[in-house]
Amino acid sequence: MKTMLKRELADAAGVSMRTLHRWCQPYREELTSMGVKPNDKLLSPKVARFLADKFCIDLP
């Protein structure tokens, strides 16, 4: 796993950035504790894996 952009994660899920943002709302506290701010564009490998697992996204 490598760092990835939110745009790459949204593309992998087949959704828009707006939809990805809405999907993340219930996990806002967990993401904040991992160091992610709402306007961050780059996701750490740990955060990318967390979101991929929550949303059942197959990442390369």
Side-chain angles (χ1 to χ4, degrees):
M1 177 61 55
K2 61 177 185 160
T3 58
M4 71 186 320
L5 297 170
K6 281 185 182 177
R7 164 62 54 203
E8 292 174 327
L9 189 64
D11 289 343
V15 298
S16 68
M17 287 291 293
R18 184 175 182 177
T19 300
L20 181 67
H21 178 73
R22 287 182 179 173
W23 284 1
C24 290
Q25 289 299 326
Y27 305 104
R28 183 63 49 212
E29 287 182 25
E30 291 174 81
L31 293 170
T32 301
S33 70
M34 289 186 220
V36 178
K37 297 175 186 166
N39 293 332
D40 285 351
K41 294 183 181 186
L42 194 61
L43 302 173
S44 71
K46 180 180 176 182
V47 174
R49 174 59 52 201
F50 170 78
L51 292 174
D53 289 344
K54 290 291 182 184
F55 305 136
C56 300
I57 301 169
D58 291 327
L59 296 177

